[in-house]
Amino acid sequence: MKALDNFKADFENTLQLSKGLIKEIRSKAFEKFISEKFPTRRDEYWKYSDPSSILKLDLNYNDSGDFKDDSYDIILSNGRIVKTISKFKTGNISDGLDNGDVPKEIFKEEKNPFLNLNNAFAVNGCYLILDSKTKKDVKILNVINNNSDCQAVYPKLVIIAKKNSDSTVFEEVKVVGEGINFVNSVVDIILEDGANLEHIILDDYAKDTYSISNICVKQSKDSNFRSHNFSMGKKLARRDYNIELLGTGANCDLYGLYFVDGENHIDHHTTVEHKKEHCTSNEHYKGILSGKSVGVFNGRIHVHPKAQKTDAIQNNQNLLLTDDAIIHTKPELEIYADDVKCTHGATVGQLDEKALFYLRTRGLNQKEAQGLLMRAYVGEIIDHISNGEIRTRMMNIVLDRLPKGD
Amino acid sequence: MLKITNLHASVEGNSILKGINLEVKAGETHAIMGPNGSGKSTLAQVLAGHDDYEVDKGEVSYLGKDLLEMDVDERACEGVFLAFQYPVELPGVNNTYFLKSALNAQRKYRGESEIDAMEFMDLIGDKIKLLNLKDSLLKRPVNEGFSGGEKKRNEIFQMAVLEPKLALLDETDSGLDIDALRIVAGGVNAMRSKDNATIIVTHYQRLLNYIVPDYVHVLVDGKIISSGDKALALELEEKGYDKIIEESKA
């Protein structure tokens, strides 16, 4: 259990960097993390993704390194802010807690050990306030900067969309350099009454990276959260969305596209907690798997007793390009209210042979015909991005990263 | 242009085409008629290159080349076009984008430069009028949510844009009302020239009132049992297939 010892040593070595409120939060979170068993495949929640492989790594905490790119407003390198621009209200988590921008309630003890571990290493982090009644467009780069090491990094982003704000946050996660990464990242998002937030997250293939990413969203009355998740396979990649619809009339749209190739792995667990009446959720995730890759999709909709008039839709589609690729897909509906509308569906298949033949009779070769069908397949997700510039950019990136089918 | 010699084809071990002989010259229009299950559509699919069908015997020479050796898309680029009996819906594939990709794939094959967006819009503007299709169909996904008649007109519209040398129309008249039939026929007739040829596969004589064939062939149980001019189609319509089959045996 190499990594557990390293976690302990790293925690103790870095604790002195924190003072006041954040120190207390970190200590409690670490205590909680250590007191609980580290998950294995025997846990239902981790059945198809084995986090215990992380424990074998000789990990070292790292938050150093610099990175420059003019096309982003905010840059984090290994979880530490290296660039911000003054037009956005932002800073590290500790400062946000001290000046009251960040509510300390975000950092409660969690069931999920990786949330606790991330809180335990909240040395830096970054918060972003999207002001009331304003329209903002923010580009964030989250760099995992490795200098041929075996490193653990803990990016943490807190986004607070104030009342009736209307914003788009584009977040790119980029692995640079060589070496093994354990990336335990958390994005905490709070939408106040009537806030409108579109969150686009993009990462890339990374065969030596173990990534556990949690996105936790709390939505107040009449808020609207639109999420576009573009994630690529890694040595181990797990991304969870935990959406809590806490106020009446809240809506969330969750769109996802995942690609996995080679011997990579990808796992998405999404949970939508319908806690109040008249909330809507709409989830559509699509995957393309090739090689000997493994994909997991687990979509949970939990309708609480008070959440009458809930309208929840969930759909997961998968395209398997090779015989050896595997997908585990599972809808999970728990409904405790009686006046609700919930639908779900999951499909697994190959490219439509009839469509391929039709395209080829028009002169497109096999590869071009496949490309056209795949473009259509991913377009169904990408087309939901409202910002035209980002939509076009995402289409190009996605087409470039389509698994090749070998 | 096309010479089919003793063509035998089967699907999943069931023999369907049992020795087809047919020669089509540039400028000609041939109609292949026959009862259900006689192998009409199979012939069209085999010529287009569908790999569900196994060619067991025979030869097909097209413009002096061995057609059966070519891939599906190669045949298309060489000028063979199949108008589908059941056009395939392509969700998410924009009709204009699809057609432009197809045209450019064929131009590339022929060593021509790719057509740009402006030129392309000019080109399809004329053709879409010919087929009396709504402009809005161009922006929609290929065939998705199209009516039966719109799908068939869209096939002929594609043909008009791609300008094939050899057009295979597989039951293009099925599901068309009389007005749509006239439009489709008008589109096909407008494209007839001394340099290209058309093979119409059909169950009914109806379409042949509008697209008048030079030759009519009756296909029964995988073989052409009778050939003639347009009068044969009228005779078929009058007497029915059974009578013609009987006469051919006598």
Side-chain angles (χ1 to χ4, degrees), chain B residues 7 9 15-20 32-44 170-171 201-203 217-225 236 241 245:
Chain B
L7 182 66
S15 172
I16 297 181
L17 300 183
K18 299 168 182 171
I20 303 268
I32 295 179
M33 302 184 70
N36 289 328
S38 58
K40 304 188 298 289
S41 283
T42 299
L43 177 62
D170 188 5
E171 308 264 0
V201 168
T202 183
H203 188 78
H217 311 276
V218 182
L219 183 67
V220 175
D221 193 23
K223 276 184 179 166
I224 290 173
I225 58 160
L236 258 178
Y241 284 110
I245 295 167

Coordinates of all heavy atoms in Angstrom, one line a residue, chain B residues 7 9 15-20 32-44 170-171 201-203 217-225 236 241 245:
Chain B
L7 N -24.7 -14.6 -65.7 CA -24.5 -14.2 -64.3 C -25.4 -15.1 -63.3 O -26.6 -15.2 -63.4 CB -24.9 -12.7 -64.1 CG -24.7 -12.1 -62.7 CD1 -23.2 -12.1 -62.3 CD2 -25.2 -10.7 -62.6
A9 N -26.0 -15.6 -59.1 CA -25.7 -15.0 -57.8 C -26.7 -15.7 -56.8 O -27.8 -16.1 -57.1 CB -25.9 -13.5 -57.9
S15 N -29.8 -19.8 -54.4 CA -29.5 -19.3 -55.7 C -30.6 -18.4 -56.2 O -31.8 -18.8 -56.2 CB -29.3 -20.5 -56.6 OG -29.2 -20.1 -57.9
I16 N -30.3 -17.2 -56.6 CA -31.4 -16.3 -57.0 C -31.3 -15.9 -58.5 O -32.2 -16.0 -59.3 CB -31.4 -15.0 -56.2 CG1 -31.7 -15.4 -54.7 CG2 -32.4 -14.0 -56.7 CD1 -31.7 -14.3 -53.7
L17 N -30.1 -15.5 -58.9 CA -29.9 -15.2 -60.4 C -29.3 -16.5 -61.0 O -28.3 -17.0 -60.5 CB -28.9 -14.1 -60.6 CG -29.4 -12.7 -60.0 CD1 -28.4 -11.6 -60.4 CD2 -30.8 -12.3 -60.5
K18 N -29.9 -17.0 -62.1 CA -29.5 -18.3 -62.6 C -29.1 -18.2 -64.1 O -29.6 -19.0 -64.9 CB -30.7 -19.3 -62.4 CG -31.1 -19.5 -60.9 CD -32.4 -20.2 -60.8 CE -32.7 -20.3 -59.3 NZ -34.1 -20.8 -59.1
G19 N -28.3 -17.3 -64.4 CA -27.8 -17.2 -65.8 C -28.4 -16.0 -66.5 O -29.2 -16.2 -67.4
I20 N -28.0 -14.8 -66.1 CA -28.6 -13.6 -66.8 C -27.6 -13.2 -67.9 O -26.4 -13.1 -67.7 CB -28.6 -12.4 -65.8 CG1 -29.5 -12.8 -64.6 CG2 -29.1 -11.1 -66.5 CD1 -30.9 -12.4 -64.7
I32 N -36.5 -3.9 -66.8 CA -36.5 -5.3 -66.4 C -37.8 -5.5 -65.6 O -37.9 -4.9 -64.5 CB -35.3 -5.7 -65.7 CG1 -34.1 -5.6 -66.6 CG2 -35.4 -7.1 -65.1 CD1 -32.8 -5.9 -66.1
M33 N -38.7 -6.3 -66.1 CA -39.9 -6.6 -65.3 C -40.0 -8.0 -64.9 O -39.3 -8.9 -65.4 CB -41.1 -6.3 -66.3 CG -41.1 -4.8 -66.8 SD -42.5 -4.4 -67.8 CE -43.8 -4.4 -66.6
G34 N -40.8 -8.2 -63.9 CA -40.9 -9.6 -63.4 C -41.7 -9.6 -62.1 O -41.9 -8.6 -61.5
P35 N -42.2 -10.8 -61.8 CA -43.1 -11.0 -60.6 C -42.2 -10.8 -59.4 O -41.0 -10.8 -59.5 CB -43.6 -12.4 -60.8 CG -42.7 -13.1 -61.7 CD -42.1 -12.1 -62.6
N36 N -42.8 -10.7 -58.2 CA -42.1 -10.6 -57.0 C -41.2 -11.9 -56.8 O -41.6 -13.0 -57.1 CB -43.1 -10.6 -55.8 CG -43.8 -9.2 -55.7 OD1 -43.2 -8.2 -56.1 ND2 -45.0 -9.2 -55.3
G37 N -40.0 -11.6 -56.3 CA -39.1 -12.8 -56.0 C -38.4 -13.3 -57.2 O -37.8 -14.3 -57.2
S38 N -38.5 -12.6 -58.4 CA -37.9 -13.2 -59.6 C -36.4 -12.9 -59.6 O -35.7 -13.5 -60.4 CB -38.6 -12.6 -60.8 OG -38.5 -11.2 -60.8
G39 N -35.9 -11.9 -58.8 CA -34.5 -11.6 -58.8 C -34.2 -10.2 -59.4 O -33.0 -9.9 -59.5
K40 N -35.2 -9.4 -59.6 CA -35.0 -8.1 -60.2 C -34.1 -7.2 -59.3 O -33.1 -6.6 -59.8 CB -36.4 -7.3 -60.4 CG -37.4 -8.0 -61.2 CD -38.6 -7.1 -61.4 CE -39.3 -6.6 -60.2 NZ -40.1 -7.6 -59.5
S41 N -34.5 -7.1 -58.0 CA -33.8 -6.2 -57.1 C -32.4 -6.8 -56.9 O -31.4 -6.1 -56.7 CB -34.5 -6.1 -55.8 OG -35.6 -5.2 -56.0
T42 N -32.3 -8.1 -56.8 CA -31.0 -8.8 -56.6 C -30.0 -8.4 -57.7 O -28.9 -8.0 -57.5 CB -31.1 -10.3 -56.6 OG1 -32.0 -10.7 -55.5 CG2 -29.8 -11.0 -56.5
L43 N -30.5 -8.3 -59.0 CA -29.7 -8.0 -60.1 C -29.2 -6.5 -59.9 O -28.0 -6.3 -60.0 CB -30.5 -8.0 -61.4 CG -29.7 -7.6 -62.6 CD1 -28.5 -8.5 -62.9 CD2 -30.6 -7.6 -63.9
A44 N -30.1 -5.6 -59.4 CA -29.6 -4.2 -59.2 C -28.6 -4.2 -58.1 O -27.6 -3.5 -58.2 CB -30.9 -3.4 -58.9
D170 N -34.2 1.0 -59.1 CA -34.9 -0.2 -58.4 C -36.2 0.2 -57.9 O -36.3 0.8 -56.9 CB -33.9 -0.7 -57.3 CG -34.4 -2.0 -56.8 OD1 -35.4 -2.6 -57.3 OD2 -33.8 -2.5 -55.8
E171 N -37.3 -0.2 -58.6 CA -38.7 0.0 -58.2 C -38.9 1.5 -57.8 O -39.5 1.7 -56.8 CB -39.0 -0.9 -57.0 CG -38.7 -2.4 -57.2 CD -39.9 -3.2 -57.7 OE1 -41.0 -2.6 -57.8 OE2 -39.8 -4.4 -57.9
V201 N -35.8 -1.2 -63.1 CA -36.4 -2.5 -62.6 C -37.7 -2.1 -62.0 O -37.9 -1.2 -61.2 CB -35.4 -3.0 -61.4 CG1 -36.1 -4.1 -60.7 CG2 -34.1 -3.4 -62.0
T202 N -38.8 -2.8 -62.5 CA -40.1 -2.5 -62.0 C -41.0 -3.6 -62.1 O -40.9 -4.6 -62.9 CB -40.7 -1.3 -62.8 OG1 -42.0 -1.0 -62.3 CG2 -40.8 -1.6 -64.3
H203 N -42.1 -3.6 -61.3 CA -43.0 -4.6 -61.3 C -44.2 -4.3 -62.2 O -44.8 -5.2 -62.8 CB -43.6 -4.7 -59.8 CG -44.4 -5.9 -59.5 ND1 -44.0 -7.1 -59.3 CD2 -45.8 -6.0 -59.5 CE1 -45.0 -7.9 -59.1 NE2 -46.1 -7.3 -59.2
H217 N -37.4 -6.5 -70.8 CA -37.0 -7.9 -70.5 C -37.8 -8.4 -69.4 O -38.1 -7.7 -68.4 CB -35.5 -8.0 -70.1 CG -34.6 -7.3 -71.0 ND1 -34.1 -7.8 -72.2 CD2 -34.1 -6.0 -70.9 CE1 -33.3 -6.9 -72.8 NE2 -33.3 -5.8 -72.0
V218 N -38.2 -9.7 -69.5 CA -39.0 -10.3 -68.5 C -38.1 -11.3 -67.7 O -37.6 -12.2 -68.3 CB -40.3 -11.0 -69.0 CG1 -41.1 -11.6 -67.9 CG2 -41.1 -10.1 -69.9
L219 N -38.0 -11.0 -66.4 CA -37.2 -11.8 -65.6 C -38.1 -12.7 -64.7 O -38.9 -12.2 -64.0 CB -36.3 -10.9 -64.7 CG -35.3 -11.6 -63.8 CD1 -34.2 -12.2 -64.6 CD2 -34.7 -10.5 -62.8
V220 N -37.8 -14.0 -64.8 CA -38.6 -15.0 -64.0 C -37.7 -16.0 -63.5 O -36.8 -16.6 -64.2 CB -39.7 -15.7 -64.9 CG1 -40.4 -16.7 -64.1 CG2 -40.7 -14.6 -65.4
D221 N -37.7 -16.2 -62.2 CA -36.9 -17.2 -61.5 C -35.4 -17.1 -61.9 O -34.8 -18.1 -62.2 CB -37.4 -18.6 -61.8 CG -36.8 -19.7 -60.9 OD1 -36.4 -19.3 -59.8 OD2 -36.8 -20.9 -61.3
G222 N -34.9 -15.9 -61.9 CA -33.5 -15.7 -62.1 C -33.0 -15.7 -63.5 O -31.8 -15.7 -63.7
K223 N -34.0 -15.8 -64.4 CA -33.6 -15.8 -65.9 C -34.4 -14.9 -66.7 O -35.6 -14.7 -66.4 CB -33.7 -17.2 -66.4 CG -32.6 -18.2 -66.2 CD -32.8 -19.5 -66.9 CE -31.7 -20.4 -66.6 NZ -32.1 -21.8 -67.0
I224 N -33.8 -14.3 -67.7 CA -34.6 -13.5 -68.6 C -35.3 -14.5 -69.6 O -34.6 -15.2 -70.4 CB -33.8 -12.5 -69.4 CG1 -33.3 -11.4 -68.4 CG2 -34.5 -11.8 -70.5 CD1 -32.3 -10.4 -68.9
I225 N -36.6 -14.5 -69.5 CA -37.3 -15.5 -70.4 C -37.9 -14.9 -71.7 O -38.3 -15.6 -72.6 CB -38.5 -16.2 -69.6 CG1 -39.5 -15.1 -69.1 CG2 -38.0 -17.0 -68.5 CD1 -40.9 -15.7 -68.8
L236 N -47.6 -7.6 -71.2 CA -47.5 -8.1 -69.8 C -48.6 -7.6 -69.0 O -49.3 -8.3 -68.2 CB -46.2 -7.7 -69.2 CG -45.0 -8.7 -69.1 CD1 -43.8 -7.9 -68.5 CD2 -45.4 -9.9 -68.3
Y241 N -48.2 -12.0 -65.7 CA -47.0 -12.8 -65.8 C -47.2 -14.2 -66.1 O -46.4 -14.8 -66.9 CB -46.2 -12.6 -64.5 CG -45.5 -11.2 -64.4 CD1 -45.9 -10.3 -63.5 CD2 -44.4 -10.9 -65.2 CE1 -45.3 -9.1 -63.4 CE2 -43.8 -9.7 -65.2 CZ -44.3 -8.7 -64.2 OH -43.7 -7.5 -64.1
I245 N -45.2 -16.5 -68.9 CA -44.3 -17.6 -68.5 C -44.7 -18.8 -69.2 O -43.9 -19.6 -69.8 CB -44.4 -17.8 -67.0 CG1 -43.9 -16.6 -66.2 CG2 -43.7 -19.1 -66.5 CD1 -44.2 -16.5 -64.7

